[in-house]
């Protein structure tokens, strides 16, 4: 009888210590939207801007915690063209991309923008920037001024 009681107590203790995973701890993936607003930063009608071209590279990447290399989610290149071809600030080009299935506890989203300028002598200069999008931000507007 003691063996039966001891066995029953041991089984009860085993089952009591094995708890089911808490469903509320399961993270729900979120969506993030990144919108690039592309426009001229100035009036380029003057002759000093003759022959000046710009190339624009935009990208959005995801960094997974513990991974050394980010994953490119989206990227695009607008090839070299005259500065005058880009839209004026009153009528910007809007490029919007939505990214679903982001687990904010272990993934961060980052945008980058690179603008390369080339003059009539093929001399190149470049402006580049990028930053992480905070977890609290679901819609990020990125200004790309040429």
């Amino acid at each position: 009888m003691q063996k039966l009681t001891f066995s029953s107590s041991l089984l009860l203790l085993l089952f009591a210590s094995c708890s089911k995973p808490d469903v509320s701890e399961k993270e729900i993936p979120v969506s993030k939207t990144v919108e690039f607003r592309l426009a001229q930063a100035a009036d380029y009608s003057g002759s000093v801007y003759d022959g000046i071209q710009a190339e624009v590279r935009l990208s959005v990447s995801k960094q997974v915690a513990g991974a050394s290399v980010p994953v490119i989610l989206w990227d695009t290149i607008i090839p070299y063209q005259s500065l005058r071809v880009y839209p004026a600030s009153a009528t910007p080009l809007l490029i919007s991309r939505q990214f679903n299935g982001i687990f904010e506890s272990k993934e961060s989203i980052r945008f980058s923008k690179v603008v390369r300028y080339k003059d009539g002598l093929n001399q190149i200069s470049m402006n580049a920037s990028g930053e992480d999008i905070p977890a609290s931000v679901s819609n990020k507007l990125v200004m790309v001024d040429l």
Side-chain angles (χ1 to χ4, degrees):
M1 182 73 169
Q2 280 184 333
K3 287 184 179 181
L4 181 62
T5 306
F6 178 72
S7 297
S8 300
S9 298
L10 187 58
L11 282 173
L12 183 61
L13 184 60
L14 278 173
F15 285 123
S17 65
C18 296
S19 62
K20 294 180 182 177
D22 188 6
V23 178
S24 64
E25 291 179 13
K26 200 169 199 175
E27 184 178 7
I28 297 172
V30 298
S31 294
K32 299 271 186 180
T33 300
V34 180
E35 185 171 70
F36 293 95
R37 181 189 177 278
L38 182 74
Q40 295 177 0
D43 177 15
Y44 295 121
S45 61
S47 63
V48 70
Y49 299 107
D50 290 349
I52 305 292
Q53 296 183 335
E55 174 191 71
V56 179
R57 296 171 181 243
L58 307 172
S59 70
V60 177
S61 61
K62 172 174 71 172
Q63 181 69 48
V64 179
S68 60
V69 178
V71 176
I72 303 295
L73 299 175
W74 174 83
D75 66 346
T76 192
I77 297 174
I78 300 171
Y80 279 108
Q81 57 187 0
S82 172
L83 278 176
R84 295 177 180 138
V85 174
Y86 286 96
S89 60
T91 57
L93 171 64
L94 298 175
I95 303 170
S96 183
R97 294 291 179 256
Q98 183 176 25
F99 306 97
N100 299 314
I102 306 300
F103 293 94
E104 291 182 314
S105 66
K106 58 187 172 194
E107 299 173 334
S108 62
I109 301 297
R110 179 175 185 79
F111 74 85
S112 66
K113 59 181 180 175
V114 178
V115 179
R116 296 187 339 163
Y117 299 94
K118 182 169 58 172
D119 66 15
L121 300 173
N122 284 330
Q123 294 176 333
I124 295 176
S125 63
M126 178 176 73
N127 291 329
S129 65
E131 64 183 61
D132 290 332
I133 299 172
S136 61
V137 175
S138 60
N139 295 303
K140 176 68 176 176
L141 177 61
V142 179
M143 308 296 278
V144 183
D145 295 322
L146 301 163

